[in-house]
Structure formats: C-alpha cells, structure tokens
C-alpha cells in the first residue's frame, strides 16, 4: 500500500480540508453526551425548563454542524479515493501498453483484466474507509475514553474489559481470514480466465458439442470461488452479532454498576447515561479500526498485484538518444540475426541474413513453427534480437523510438484483430488523419468496398468486438485496408490472404502491386 501512496499526493489539499471536517464531526459527537447529561441532571431532575430548552437548542445546532461535517467528509473521501484510483488505473494501463510480448506472457490476460478492475475496486473501497473512518476512529476513541474517565473514573474498567473481549474476537477472525484473501483473488483470476476462454471459443465449443464440459469447468471454478467467499463472508457476518452482544452486555454492566453508584450518591443519572454513550463511542471506534485492519490484508493483496505490474520493467525501451534515418526508403536488412524466446533451449532463428528492398516483394516461406511470424515481430521490436542486428534504412531498429519505427510500418497480423466501432473507425485506426476519400481508396484496394457499400450503413456499419459480426475474409480485408490507409514505407503481411477466395486474392494482389510500387513489401 505504501508503494501506491504517491497517488494521494495530488489530493493533499483535499485531505487537509477533510481533516478539518473530521475534527468538526468528532467534536460534535463528543459534545452531545455532555449536553444530554446536563438536560437530565439540571433540566429534568432539577425541573429547570430553561436549561432543557437552551441545552436542547445547542444540541440541535451541534447535531446540524456534525451532520454537515459528516456529509463533507463523505464527499471528500469519495472524491479522493476515486480520483487516486483513477490515476492508478490509468498508470497501470499505460504500463501494460508499454510491455513487450515477453512481459505479456508473464501475466495472463485474465489476470491483467482483474488487476485493473476488481483489485482496483478493493483498493478504492479500503481508501474510502481509511479516509472516512480510519482517520476519525482514533481521535473519537481517545476523546471518548478521556470524557468517560472525567465523568466516572471508577467505571472505566468496564470499557477496558469490553475492548479486551472485542479485541480477542477480532484477532481470532483476523488469523483465519487473512490466508483466504490471497486465495480469493487467485480464484477470481481463474474464474475470469475460464469465462473469457469459453466466450472467445464459443463457436468451437458448439461445433464439437462441448457445452457440458465447459459448464463443468466453469462450475468447478465458480464453486471454488463461492466456497472461499462463503468462509470469508461468514466470518465477517459473525462480527455483527458478536459486536452487538458485547455492546449490549457493556451497557447492562454500566447500568448495573452505575445504579449502585447513583444509590450511593457518588454518580448522577445524567452522568451515567453520558458515560454509556462515551463507552459506546469508544467501542465503535475500536470496532471501526478493527474492521479496517481486517479489510487491509485483502486490499494489500490487491495492492501487491497492482504493484507487480507497475514494478515490472519493460524489456524493450526507447533509446536515450533516438536517431533519425538518413533516408526514408523503407529498406529492411537482417544481419546475422539470431533469436531465442525467453526460457527456450534452442533459438527459433539462427544467423538469418537477407535484405528487403523498396519496390520489391520479399516472400518468407517455411513450415509451421519455423519462425516466420517471429521475423515480423522482430522488425517491429515486439522482441529484440538475441544476436545480430536488424536495419531499417541503414539504422539499427533499436536506435529508433518505437513509435517512430512502427509509424513507418503497415502491419497485418496473422490473427486479425478488429475493434468495436464502425468500418470507418477500424480503417482510420491506421491513420486518424485520413480523409473520407483515402478511406474509400484503401477499402477499394483491399477489395472491401463491395461488402461495405452493400450494407445499408456503409462505412458506418457497426463492428463488434474482435470483428465477430463479419466473416474471416471480411476481417482480413478490413485489416489490409487499415494498413493501406497508413500509407507506410514498409508493408508486413503475415499470412494475411488465407481467408480470401482465389478471385478476391488475385484482384487484391494486383491492386496491391500498383499501390505499393516503390515500397518495401514482406509477405509471409
């Protein structure tokens, strides 16, 4: 949690203001029992209506002030917690965007999603509690004990006994609950992974009639999560009746002991009632602190999981002094390139040397798993070479800023990815400044214009997440149009024509040959 405390720095002013309102809220809460004692002792028992009305009016004003401060504290605590969590979530997402493929393989996609959603929610909830209750409870408890001692020093042992019993109960729950919080977040990851895998592969699951198998997998993950959740929730639910029992027994003991003091003439009725209120405030303060202490471990687990992302250094970084190419022709050259995937025993590429010249099409052919797609990944610096170097326009790719290097490449991946939006937004993804004419031109070259314009919405046709509502061939053509709209110097086509029929493939290659004249083209 301390590692993430820096996200609270922009809100120091709001925290100071909130502390002022917390002081007002605490002061108001500690004044009310005194007023109540005065009304009972001097007003009701002393039969002085003036004291009742005057003190009652003061109680009303103090209550309104305390209510106003409480509302302000709640508002500021919520703003601070949500703002800090928003900043943390933004930085975490930016960190993930900067990861190379090696770091992506370290964290599963499901785990990254949970860390940016569920774990953030846990952190935010504890922040709100700490700001609203964690800061107020110590002052409230200490103030209540001091006030109670001033009223009846001989009865403060009752508060000590009640706090001791409450501490034993909470410590017992604390010991049993903490180990389950880490398990809980791991099981949430697992459930998310199973659900995401099932939804992504829904067509395959139905095609092979494996619905019952997937339901069993999901049910197993769901039952494991439910079981641990039930244990934690039962422990938390056990707190309320135990706390109320302790509070009620404390009140009974105060009345019993106080009655004897009143009968002996050493304590007034109003003071006993005020002492009871102070004892309740002290116990509630201790209870609030204990509840926060119980919730902190779960938030600490979430904070550690988020901190793991923030503390993971990307293996591929921009150079401190990036270089600009002497020319912008798009020539690509491999010089004795060797690459081994992290953890692998053998290199997937060994001593590869070739050059791809502008105005030429270079084909990379080989069996499955021979490293063809790895070549495309190395050109774009998704990985860095193990040995040798890759040159673009005579400069090592590691000498460029990653954004500058990739801005010169039009890439169509083996597994086509479209984004939720429209046909136009997906084509513009490659070049946001492209005009409507350039978008139409890219679609024409990619042989996508026919199915786009036959749709009633045309270029405004909705595209579902991942392009699930268009065919494989349509996805490939839209991805090719996206690369063409970028007007790059280097085209990388990674098995990008596999879903096209023979006629569309021939027309597309013919149009591409004219469009990419003078550019460097690599086709896997």
């Amino acid at each position: 949690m301390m590692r993430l405390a820096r996200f609270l720095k922009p809100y120091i002013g709001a925290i100071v203001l909130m502390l002022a309102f917390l002081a007002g809220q605490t002061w108001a809460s500690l004044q009310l029992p005194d007023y109540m004692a005065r009304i009972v002792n001097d007003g009701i028992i002393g039969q002085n209506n003036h004291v009742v009305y005057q003190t009652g009016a003061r109680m009303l004003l103090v209550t309104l002030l305390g209510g106003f401060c409480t509302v302000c504290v709640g508002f500021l605590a919520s703003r601070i917690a949500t703002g800090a969590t928003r900043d943390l979530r933004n930085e975490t997402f930016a960190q993930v965007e900067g990861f190379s493929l090696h770091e992506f393989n370290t964290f599963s996609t499901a785990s990254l999603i949970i860390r940016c959603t569920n774990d953030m929610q846990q952190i935010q909830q504890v922040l709100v509690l700490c700001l609203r209750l964690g800061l107020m409870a110590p002052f409230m408890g200490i103030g209540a004990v001091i006030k109670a001692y001033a009223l009846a020093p001989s009865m403060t042992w009752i508060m000590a006994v009640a706090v001791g019993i409450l501490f034993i109960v909470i410590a017992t729950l604390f010991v049993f609950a903490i180990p389950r919080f880490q398990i809980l977040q791991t099981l949430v990851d697992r459930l998310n992974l199973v659900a995401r895998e099932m939804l992504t592969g829904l067509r395959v699951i139905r095609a092979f009639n494996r619905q019952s198998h997937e339901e069993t997998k999901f049910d197993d993950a769901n039952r494991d999560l439910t079981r641990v959740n039930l244990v934690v929730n039962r422990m938390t639910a056990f707190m309320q009746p135990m706390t109320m029992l302790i509070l009620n027994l404390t009140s009974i003991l105060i009345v019993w002991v106080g009655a004897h003091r009143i009968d002996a003439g050493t304590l007034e009725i109003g003071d006993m009632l005020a002492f009871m209120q102070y004892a309740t405030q002290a116990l509630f303060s201790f209870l609030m602190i204990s509840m926060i202490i119980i919730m902190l471990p779960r938030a600490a687990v979430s904070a550690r999981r988020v901190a793991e992302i923030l503390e993971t250094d990307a293996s591929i970084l921009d150079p401190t002094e990036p270089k600009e190419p002497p020319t912008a022709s798009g020539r690509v050259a491999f010089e004795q390139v060797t690459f081994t995937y992290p953890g692998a025993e053998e290199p997937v590429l060994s001593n590869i040397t070739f050059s791809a010249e502008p105005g030429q099409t270079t084909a990379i052919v080989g069996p499955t798993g021979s490293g063809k797609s790895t070549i495309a990944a190395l050109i774009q610096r998704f990985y860095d070479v193990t040995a040798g170097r890759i040159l673009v326009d005579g400069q090592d790719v590691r000498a460029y800023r990653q954004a500058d290097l990739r801005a010169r490449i039009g890439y169509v991946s083996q597994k086509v990815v479209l984004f939720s939006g429209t046909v136009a937004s997906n084509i513009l993804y490659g070049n946001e400044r492209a005009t409507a004419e350039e978008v139409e031109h890219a679609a024409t070259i990619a042989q996508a214009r026919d199915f786009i314009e036959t749709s009633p919405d045309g270029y405004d046709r909705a595209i579902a997440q991942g392009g699930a509502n268009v065919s494989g061939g349509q996805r490939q053509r839209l991805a090719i149009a996206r690369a063409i709209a970028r007007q790059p110097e280097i085209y990388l086509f990674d098995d990008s024509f596999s879903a096209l029929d023979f006629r569309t493939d021939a027309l597309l290659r013919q149009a591409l040959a004219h469009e990419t004249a003078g550019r460097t083209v690599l086709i896997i």
Side-chain angles (χ1 to χ4, degrees), residues 168-346:
I168 293 171
V169 172
I170 292 172
T172 304
L173 294 176
F174 191 73
V175 170
F176 285 101
I178 288 178
R180 288 168 172 80
F181 289 139
Q182 178 69 50
I183 300 173
L184 197 62
Q185 294 305 106
T186 303
L187 291 176
V188 171
D189 279 355
R190 181 185 168 202
L191 184 66
N192 184 274
L193 177 64
V194 173
R196 188 174 183 273
E197 189 177 62
M198 182 187 68
L199 295 174
T200 303
L202 192 58
R203 294 184 182 183
V204 177
I205 293 169
R206 289 177 175 174
F208 287 90
N209 293 321
R210 299 289 287 176
Q211 291 95 323
S212 58
H213 173 72
E214 295 300 322
E215 287 173 7
T216 302
K217 281 175 59 179
F218 185 85
D219 187 58
D220 290 342
N222 195 21
R223 284 178 182 274
D224 291 342
L225 178 61
T226 303
R227 186 179 65 253
V228 177
N229 253 325
L230 280 174
V231 173
V232 174
N233 290 337
R234 283 168 183 163
M235 289 180 179
T236 306
F238 180 73
M239 283 289 297
Q240 183 176 359
M242 284 299 300
T243 303
M244 294 308 299
L245 178 63
I246 293 170
L247 286 174
N248 290 331
L249 289 176
T250 302
S251 298
I252 292 172
L253 187 57
I254 290 172
V255 172
W256 176 267
V257 175
H260 287 80
R261 297 285 189 277
I262 293 170
D263 186 57
T266 58
L267 185 69
E268 296 188 57
I269 296 176
D271 292 340
M272 185 195 72
L273 295 175
F275 184 92
M276 188 183 300
Q277 290 295 317
Y278 286 129
T280 302
Q281 288 179 350
L283 289 175
F284 265 116
S285 298
F286 181 78
L287 178 63
M288 287 187 288
I289 295 172
S290 303
M291 289 300 296
I292 293 172
I293 292 174
I294 287 178
M295 294 189 68
L296 273 177
R298 184 170 184 179
V301 170
S302 297
R304 281 196 299 270
R305 286 159 52 88
V306 174
E308 282 179 14
I309 298 176
L310 297 177
E311 293 173 0
T312 300
D313 295 326
S315 57
I316 296 178
L317 302 172
D318 288 333
T320 54
E321 297 181 1
K323 296 181 179 179
E324 294 293 331
T327 59
S329 61
R331 184 179 185 274
V332 178
F334 276 53
E335 295 183 353
Q336 298 295 316
V337 169
T338 297
F339 176 71
T340 305
Y341 280 103
E345 296 181 357
E346 298 291 334

Side-chain angles (χ1 to χ4, degrees), residues 2 105 116 154 158 168 179 196 245 253 289 309 346 356 362 403 469 486 490:
M2 294 301 296
N105 293 333
C116 290
S154 61
I158 299 175
I168 293 171
R196 188 174 183 273
L245 178 63
L253 187 57
I289 295 172
I309 298 176
E346 298 291 334
T362 302
N469 60 337
R486 194 165 198 171
I490 302 167

Side-chain angles (χ1 to χ4, degrees), residues 2 34 44 73 85 116 125 157 176 214 221 241 251 262 276 289 314 319 376 387 393 409 439 452 485 492 495 512 519:
M2 294 301 296
D34 279 345
I44 298 175
V73 167
T85 308
C116 290
Q125 288 177 355
W157 64 269
F176 285 101
E214 295 300 322
S251 298
I262 293 170
M276 188 183 300
I289 295 172
D393 288 334
I409 300 173
V439 170
I452 293 174
L492 280 176
D495 198 13
L512 272 177
R519 312 290 176 90

